[in-house]
Amino acid sequence: MPEERGNQGRWKRKEKGRAVCCGFLALMAMAMMFLIIFGLLVGGMGGVPPTPAADVYLGVSRGAGQKIHMVVAGFSTPVSGEDGKSLNLLAERTLRADMDFSGVVSVADPDSLPFDPKAVKPGGEAQFLAKLSSLSIQVMLAADLNRIGNKVFLDAKLFDVATQQPIFHNRYAASPKDISAAVHRLADDIVHYLTGEHGIARTKLAFVSNRSGAKEIFVMDLDGDRVVQMTRNNSLNLTPRWSPDGRFLAYVSYRDGNPDLFLLDVTCGRRTKLSSLPGLNISPAWSPDGKWIALALSKDGYTNLYLIRPDGGGLRPITNGKAIFVSPTWSPNGRQIAFVSDQGGAPQIYVMDAEGTNMRRLTFKGNYNTSPAWSPKGDKIAFVSNLSRNLDIFVMNADGSGLRNLTRGAGDNESPSWSPDGRYIVFSSTRHGRSGIYLMREDGSGQRRLTPDDADYYTPDWSRR
């Protein structure tokens, strides 16, 4: 992998996905404009909730840390995709995975129920709800698919088992190939209605991969489905970063021979060169309100941090020194920025006010601490360190205390990025040889691979919505 360094070449970084080559690639960009379609999903309310004015149903209670127990029923009408495979099986499997991933809902094993869940038909839910009243089941989802032409409709009713009343009745539409998108929306609606929190099933991961040859930027669903290639310039593209509204990706590209900063509008495929000053234009980080992008520039001979508006205006420095300043990450309230600097002799993590004042150091252990990522709740910062035998993902409190290693084991673990709800961290790892994208809970448990072993995958970034 290429290395990222200051203009003096004093600091060579091992960080795989964030790294930037010092040698310029003289490849001309292929001017490809294409429409990026995240799905043909259209859907809406197909029924009337018990309380029409309410967006959230909080009649189901749970204790702190306890999950809501749910039965998934229906999915019995045979519907097939263009390849002849069952969309029912795909939809049910996707929903169960989304619910498990939510961290707040637990889906009952069908074999533990007093009836066959597939026997539940639209309009006949009452008799089955009565059979659940003696169990520790709080809600039942009755869902079914129906295909009309080139559209598949997902009809879903969520019931409160205690009252046997519907919590919501929604209908979602999608093309057969995008049925998982409809299911993700249903999953997020379930979480929202039951907890008042926003679900994360529809959020996406942006990442870099060489699966098409060059290192290009891709986007995929959390379950690895619907992978879309976002750049096709046959060059080196790095560090994709989602805007808070999920509409734009900021990324670094050597498309024109220099490490320049680009913006890609994922709704239409339009890309804009945001910063192409001499030297490095790297390490983009969006402010929480989307009004500013922090980045590192070396236009004046030293690598410092700057702020720039998404339209390219308002450029101003927030550090001004002869050391290296890179890898900014904003606090959720937008008041502070954590970053990496070698001003103390080795790359360490610092924090300052967003205006560039009140700078202070957070890490003191180890001689290589980098890639800070501020948690959505604002209380934690994940980062990469060589404190152990390899590069590992650590987490600390926002004031630098409470250091914990989350990824002890083989390989290098880098590029942490938080889920919008702060329950998970996605990262890249070489623990099985090639670099892949992995997921873990915020405490380091439940680590699993999200990408196949067909190529290298680097620097994941989790969308906010």
Side-chain angles (χ1 to χ4, degrees):
M1 286 299 295
E3 297 172 343
E4 178 179 314
R5 65 185 77 185
N7 59 298
Q8 303 298 319
R10 292 175 292 131
W11 169 19
K12 295 183 179 179
R13 303 180 63 202
K14 187 179 178 183
E15 195 174 345
K16 291 182 174 55
R18 288 181 178 268
V20 177
C21 267
C22 289
F24 293 159
L25 303 179
L27 295 174
M28 294 300 293
M30 298 168 60
M32 269 193 165
M33 303 299 289
F34 56 91
L35 182 64
I36 305 299
I37 303 174
F38 276 136
L40 300 176
L41 176 65
V42 293
M45 299 298 293
V48 181
T51 53
D55 292 326
V56 180
Y57 177 84
L58 299 176
V60 176
S61 61
R62 62 188 176 106
Q66 294 182 337
K67 294 184 178 182
I68 296 171
H69 297 284
M70 181 176 80
V71 166
V72 173
F75 289 111
S76 57
T77 301
V79 176
S80 299
E82 305 301 336
D83 57 1
K85 295 182 179 180
S86 171
L87 294 182
N88 307 73
L89 293 177
L90 174 61
E92 184 175 358
R93 183 170 63 247
T94 300
L95 181 61
R96 287 179 176 274
D98 284 351
M99 291 294 93
D100 178 66
F101 192 71
S102 74
V104 297
V105 176
S106 175
V107 179
D109 183 342
D111 294 336
S112 68
L113 302 177
F115 57 85
D116 180 2
K118 293 192 180 299
V120 178
K121 304 294 183 182
E125 299 90 356
Q127 60 176 312
F128 298 98
L129 287 166
K131 294 179 180 181
L132 294 175
S133 59
S134 61
L135 304 178
S136 59
I137 302 295
Q138 293 156 290
V139 293
M140 182 181 81
L141 179 79
D144 209 359
L145 297 180
N146 182 32
R147 180 166 181 172
I148 303 177
N150 62 352
K151 286 285 184 68
V152 176
F153 295 90
L154 169 60
D155 191 81
K157 293 181 182 178
L158 186 66
F159 291 89
D160 185 333
V161 171
T163 65
Q164 298 189 22
Q165 295 299 309
I167 298 173
F168 71 70
H169 180 188
N170 289 358
R171 199 182 194 208
Y172 310 85
S175 66
K177 67 182 180 64
D178 284 329
I179 188 62
S180 60
V183 177
H184 292 327
R185 182 175 179 184
L186 167 60
D188 283 349
D189 284 348
I190 292 172
V191 171
H192 183 59
Y193 271 87
L194 295 181
T195 69
E197 302 173 0
H198 293 289
I200 59 175
R202 281 185 292 171
T203 58
K204 295 180 178 292
L205 298 178
F207 57 93
V208 174
S209 177
N210 58 5
R211 58 183 283 168
S212 63
K215 291 182 174 63
E216 305 281 4
I217 292 173
F218 297 79
V219 167
M220 70 177 182
D221 290 349
L222 295 184
D223 55 8
D225 193 18
R226 299 197 305 159
V227 179
V228 178
Q229 186 170 340
M230 311 301 286
T231 61
R232 297 176 183 272
N233 53 47
N234 198 34
S235 181
L236 179 63
N237 302 277
L238 302 168
T239 59
R241 296 292 181 262
W242 288 102
S243 62
D245 61 4
R247 178 179 175 180
F248 296 96
L249 278 173
Y251 66 98
V252 177
S253 179
Y254 278 79
R255 189 190 78 169
D256 300 324
N258 190 66
D260 298 328
L261 182 62
F262 288 80
L263 283 188
L264 171 66
D265 186 334
V266 299
T267 65
C268 66
R270 181 175 60 89
R271 66 196 71 243
T272 305
K273 185 180 289 188
L274 182 61
S275 179
S276 57
L277 294 166
L280 303 175
N281 303 260
I282 61 172
S283 298
W286 293 83
S287 64
D289 60 8
K291 295 181 179 180
W292 294 96
I293 298 175
L295 75 160
L297 301 175
S298 64
K299 64 184 182 67
D300 298 323
Y302 298 100
T303 306
N304 277 287
L305 295 178
Y306 291 74
L307 296 182
I308 191 172
R309 294 194 185 98
D311 62 4
L315 182 68
R316 60 185 175 90
I318 52 175
T319 67
N320 183 18
K322 296 181 179 180
I324 298 170
F325 298 84
V326 291
S327 302
T329 178
W330 295 74
S331 64
N333 60 16
R335 296 174 184 172
Q336 295 178 300
I337 296 176
F339 60 94
V340 176
S341 176
D342 69 343
Q343 58 187 299
Q348 299 290 346
I349 297 174
Y350 295 75
V351 68
M352 62 182 172
D353 294 343
E355 296 79 16
T357 58
N358 196 24
M359 187 182 299
R360 54 205 181 277
R361 183 171 166 177
L362 293 180
T363 57
F364 293 90
K365 295 182 179 180
N367 58 10
Y368 184 85
N369 296 290
T370 186
S371 303
W374 216 310
S375 71
K377 298 177 183 178
D379 58 336
K380 306 289 184 182
I381 295 177
F383 65 100
V384 175
S385 179
N386 67 351
L387 275 172
S388 56
R389 183 180 58 184
N390 302 305
L391 293 180
D392 276 309
I393 307 294
F394 286 74
V395 69
M396 62 182 171
N397 296 328
D399 62 2
S401 64
L403 185 67
R404 289 186 294 123
N405 187 345
L406 301 184
T407 59
R408 301 177 188 273
D412 289 330
N413 304 278
E414 305 178 80
S415 306
S417 178
W418 293 85
S419 63
D421 60 5
R423 291 193 178 101
Y424 295 91
I425 297 174
V426 69
F427 60 101
S428 63
S429 177
T430 60
R431 61 186 59 184
H432 294 128
R434 281 178 163 172
S435 180
I437 295 176
Y438 290 75
L439 178 80
M440 63 181 168
R441 295 186 180 91
E442 61 175 323
D443 62 0
S445 64
Q447 297 185 25
R448 60 187 176 93
R449 186 166 185 161
L450 298 180
T451 53
D453 193 27
D454 60 348
D456 292 303
Y457 298 81
Y458 316 97
T459 58
D461 190 58
W462 206 317
S463 70
R464 299 298 91 190
R465 59 178 65 182

